[in-house]
Amino acid sequence: MVNYLKRHSFRDRQMYSANKIFLVTVSCLSLIVSSCSQQPSVKVAGNSDSASKVVSSNQTTEKSNVVRLGYQKGGIIPISRQRGDLERQLSAQNIKVEWTGPFDRCATLLAALNGNRADIGGCGDIPTISGIAAGQPLCIGSVQRPKADSLGNAILVRGNSSIRKPADLIGKKVAVNQGGAGEYLLLKVLEKENIPKEKVQRVYLSPNDAAPALYQGSVDAWAVWEPYISIAELEHKARRITTTHPAPTYGILVVRGDAAKENPVAIKSALTALSQDGEWLNQHSDAAADFMVKELKVSQAVAKQATKNRGPESYVFPSTEDIANLQKTTDWLLEQKILPQRVDIAASVCPLGTTAAR
């Protein structure tokens, strides 16, 4: 997977809906071994009950000081991993950081959170909401607010395509990730252009499969995000038929529900440190691009354009306004029958005492 973004040689694999991922993950829970380190056995004089209590106490203390950060290719978490400041900062608070990844997309990252293989991960709001609606025990830790002028999402077509505008998609096939940012972008563009969604065929593919499908002509367009956009434009002569997003989306730092309840101090400290790394990167855009080159194995040109298109990496704890905005998105997804049930966003915010009334 390390070199797939550069070579664009993608593995074939089945794209699962959020519901299917949840069901598969639940069936495998008994086989998953927790990655948290265990305290070695300690011999204690006295009866076995006393020894058991001491060992149990030591294990609980050690586990409570571990935060596992799951990461995809791209985003703030793998950059924090490279930079190293987050680990040093949390170590000073007696919190150990462990890294899990890389995951190829949000769906597999959320499955890792659900399967107790990670405690925090970065995803978009659409897959996060879909995961919660599917019953995954997740909560919203912090958010990256939408940027109306961001070029981080687009509908792409081949350079020689006759498609020039969204209306030209009628009767065409568009690759999207089911229940994710791509499907949301396409539906919002069609809504804005007053195009019935039934007139455009959605083809559910992961980014791994959608890229070659577009380049080889199996689909006519692809609704996707950075850095795939810059790779497609700069290395495959694809072009975008949309500019800004008609309904910009939030970024979410998603937390495993039990981790937020059992380890709130460490989780909050990790989220705060991630936010600080984002602010540092906003002041050092060249460094952000360099980190992307190392992490994704893409060219410097792709990294610079993707970094510029994505815009600032600013994560904050959600305000009441953020919660209201995410609830509107959730209700719209339910109306579109993308979600199996309604999600209460206010109840889905992690219980860290961070929600601000603003």
Side-chain angles (χ1 to χ4, degrees):
M1 283 298 297
V2 171
N3 294 318
Y4 81 90
L5 284 173
K6 184 174 182 180
R7 298 196 310 266
H8 310 294
S9 176
F10 300 92
R11 300 193 302 261
D12 293 330
R13 62 177 127 175
Q14 180 68 36
M15 179 64 185
Y16 289 96
S17 67
N19 284 344
K20 291 180 180 177
I21 291 171
F22 171 65
L23 291 173
V24 171
T25 304
V26 169
S27 68
C28 296
L29 280 175
S30 62
L31 301 178
I32 295 173
V33 180
S34 172
S35 64
C36 292
S37 57
Q38 295 275 326
Q39 186 79 3
S41 297
V42 179
K43 291 184 179 180
V44 180
N47 61 48
S48 60
D49 287 343
S50 297
S52 176
K53 290 177 182 177
V54 170
V55 173
S56 176
S57 175
N58 287 341
Q59 289 175 343
T60 301
T61 300
E62 184 171 344
K63 286 182 180 180
S64 69
N65 287 334
V66 175
V67 174
R68 298 166 298 171
L69 299 179
Y71 61 96
Q72 297 185 71
K73 288 287 188 177
I76 187 62
I77 294 181
I79 292 179
S80 292
R81 178 171 175 261
Q82 285 189 53
R83 189 166 175 247
D85 275 25
L86 179 145
E87 270 189 275
R88 289 187 288 271
Q89 181 177 336
L90 295 188
S91 178
Q93 302 175 49
N94 196 33
I95 300 170
K96 180 182 178 182
V97 176
E98 295 179 356
W99 306 92
T100 305
F103 298 97
D104 62 339
R105 59 189 185 275
C106 277
T108 49
L109 173 56
L110 294 179
L113 289 166
N114 182 50
N116 193 20
R117 288 177 285 133
D119 299 314
I120 299 175
C123 270
D125 56 359
I126 309 303
T128 298
I129 292 168
S130 295
I132 295 172
Q136 295 180 347
L138 309 169
C139 63
I140 297 168
S142 56
V143 300
Q144 182 179 35
R145 289 171 178 148
K147 298 175 285 290
D149 58 348
S150 171
L151 298 175
N153 299 77
I155 297 178
L156 301 175
V157 298
R158 292 181 296 280
N160 61 356
S161 173
S162 62
I163 299 172
R164 297 288 170 182
K165 57 186 183 299
D168 296 335
L169 294 174
I170 294 175
K172 306 295 186 182
K173 297 178 180 179
V174 183
V176 299
N177 59 323
Q178 187 173 17
E183 185 171 24
Y184 181 69
L185 170 61
L186 175 62
L187 291 175
K188 277 297 185 180
V189 167
L190 297 180
E191 182 181 70
K192 180 182 178 182
E193 300 293 328
N194 296 314
I195 300 170
K197 62 184 180 182
E198 295 79 12
K199 291 191 175 183
V200 177
Q201 182 179 347
R202 281 168 276 170
V203 179
Y204 294 127
L205 296 172
S206 70
N208 303 27
D209 302 321
L214 176 68
Y215 306 149
Q216 296 165 12
S218 300
V219 297
D220 303 294
W222 180 21
V224 71
W225 53 90
E226 287 290 5
Y228 298 102
I229 295 170
S230 292
I231 293 171
E233 287 182 324
L234 298 178
E235 299 184 4
H236 292 268
K237 307 304 179 185
R239 57 181 170 80
R240 60 170 71 220
I241 61 168
T242 59
T243 52
T244 56
H245 199 306
T249 58
Y250 278 80
I252 304 287
L253 287 178
V254 195
V255 180
R256 186 172 60 86
D258 284 346
K261 294 174 184 176
E262 299 167 1
N263 201 5
V265 173
I267 294 296
K268 186 175 180 180
S269 294
L271 293 172
T272 299
L274 286 167
S275 176
Q276 291 170 352
D277 267 350
E279 293 306 321
W280 185 89
L281 287 168
N282 295 340
Q283 304 300 319
H284 302 83
S285 58
D286 287 343
D290 290 340
F291 283 131
M292 185 179 289
V293 169
K294 294 176 184 176
E295 181 67 27
L296 303 183
K297 310 303 184 206
V298 294
S299 69
Q300 191 71 31
V302 165
K304 285 187 174 181
Q305 179 171 301
T307 299
K308 181 180 179 181
N309 285 351
R310 281 177 56 87
E313 294 276 357
S314 298
Y315 281 90
V316 297
F317 292 115
S319 68
T320 52
E321 182 179 352
D322 296 322
I323 292 170
N325 290 338
L326 287 168
Q327 190 64 60
K328 289 179 182 177
T329 298
T330 300
D331 294 342
W332 186 88
L333 292 171
L334 185 64
E335 290 173 6
Q336 299 297 313
K337 303 187 186 307
I338 293 175
L339 300 182
Q341 61 181 337
R342 186 177 186 272
V343 173
D344 183 343
I345 295 298
S348 300
V349 174
C350 297
L352 304 174
T354 54
T355 304
R358 65 178 185 274

